[in-house]
Amino acid sequence: MSSEDLRRGRGGPQAAAGQRVGLLGGSFDPPHAGHVHITRWALKAFGLDRVWWLVSPGNPLKPDAPAELARRLAAARAIMAHPRVEVTDLESRLGTRYTAETLRAVTARWPGVRFVWLMGADNLAGFHRWERWPEIMATVPVGVLARPGDQLRAGLSPAARRFARWRLPQQAARALPFRAPPAWTLVSGRMLDLSSSELRARGEWRR
């Protein structure tokens, strides 16, 4: 399946206009229980119909190449078994490198779908280092889920300060998919202290 197939509506994940779809991007190198936890949490917290995992070919902010994409996809599909979650290699098929490019392509391909970009609080803390990050905030609402030790740092981050006036209170989180961007919120709840880098350091996943 090529990017032209996607543009013409052939193949790829499916969503209908009006549906609320969360997008969780990352290397997933490896995928782990923390990813599963925030996915299930996001489905409930933001009232989402579906979540798509966007397993990236590589992370431009990381110097080392991740494990082979096919291997990470297989591991992600093995650990994330949920009828409303789809693990995809959409970025590879679209040929996009940066999140801003991916969101532009996805919103054009699925018009009318209420997409929400999902991230952990650790990502928000460093969000200002992402390529064209203000464009991301202006393209879709952003749902941030607390991570151990990162909630305060995220709330004081350059991105949080710049977009402070568009932050929704946590009690309004389920309204997030219906808000025109920029709109974002940071939700707190039960957290799992687990990371891909930790699993690699312990030798539980070798590239």
Side-chain angles (χ1 to χ4, degrees), residues 29 62 64-67 71 200 205-207:
D29 186 33
K62 295 180 180 179
D64 300 326
R71 181 182 169 209
R200 293 195 303 271
W205 174 269
R206 298 187 183 277
R207 290 171 171 166

Side-chain angles (χ1 to χ4, degrees), residues 79-93:
I79 197 172
M80 187 67 257
H82 192 287
R84 292 193 285 141
V85 180
E86 187 162 0
V87 175
T88 80
D89 59 350
L90 195 54
E91 287 185 312
S92 177
R93 296 180 185 277

Side-chain angles (χ1 to χ4, degrees), residues 1-16 52 77 86-91 93-94 105-106 109-110 115:
M1 182 181 64
S2 67
S3 59
E4 179 65 15
D5 290 326
L6 286 170
R7 190 181 69 80
R8 294 181 179 275
R10 298 192 294 264
Q14 300 298 313
W52 297 351
R77 286 169 178 150
E86 187 162 0
V87 175
T88 80
D89 59 350
L90 195 54
E91 287 185 312
R93 296 180 185 277
L94 288 170
V106 166
R109 165 64 186 84
W110 286 275
F115 287 110

Side-chain angles (χ1 to χ4, degrees), residues 175-189:
L176 184 66
F178 302 98
R179 293 297 182 96
W184 68 283
T185 191
L186 171 60
V187 297
S188 299

Side-chain angles (χ1 to χ4, degrees), residues 19-206:
Q19 284 192 312
R20 296 152 291 175
V21 178
L23 302 173
L24 183 65
S27 302
F28 297 95
D29 186 33
H32 53 71
H35 295 128
V36 175
H37 173 69
I38 66 169
T39 299
R40 291 177 177 273
W41 185 7
L43 281 165
K44 183 177 180 180
F46 305 121
L48 302 174
D49 297 302
R50 302 187 63 78
V51 170
W52 297 351
W53 280 19
L54 307 183
V55 183
S56 67
N59 187 333
L61 292 178
K62 295 180 180 179
D64 300 326
E68 182 184 13
L69 178 59
R71 181 182 169 209
R72 289 181 285 126
L73 282 167
R77 286 169 178 150
I79 197 172
M80 187 67 257
H82 192 287
R84 292 193 285 141
V85 180
E86 187 162 0
V87 175
T88 80
D89 59 350
L90 195 54
E91 287 185 312
S92 177
R93 296 180 185 277
L94 288 170
T96 55
R97 177 171 171 80
Y98 297 105
T99 298
E101 297 173 339
T102 299
L103 291 178
R104 191 184 315 116
V106 166
T107 53
R109 165 64 186 84
W110 286 275
V113 173
R114 299 183 180 278
F115 287 110
V116 175
W117 182 256
L118 304 173
M119 66 167 70
D122 54 329
N123 290 137
L124 181 62
F127 194 45
H128 57 288
R129 291 192 290 269
W130 291 28
E131 184 78 12
R132 302 201 301 273
W133 66 272
E135 182 181 329
I136 297 172
M137 296 290 280
T139 303
V140 297
V142 175
V144 185
L145 300 115
R147 288 270 296 161
D150 288 303
Q151 189 167 348
L152 179 60
R153 197 161 57 96
L156 297 174
S157 67
R161 293 198 304 269
R162 177 165 172 176
F163 287 90
R165 62 180 290 196
W166 292 286
R167 180 177 180 176
L168 275 66
Q170 178 166 336
Q171 58 267 32
R174 290 179 70 87
L176 184 66
F178 302 98
R179 293 297 182 96
W184 68 283
T185 191
L186 171 60
V187 297
S188 299
R190 187 175 69 87
M191 295 173 266
L192 290 183
D193 192 5
L194 191 62
S195 71
S196 296
S197 57
E198 178 185 348
L199 293 175
R200 293 195 303 271
R202 294 203 307 243
E204 296 182 25
W205 174 269
R206 298 187 183 277

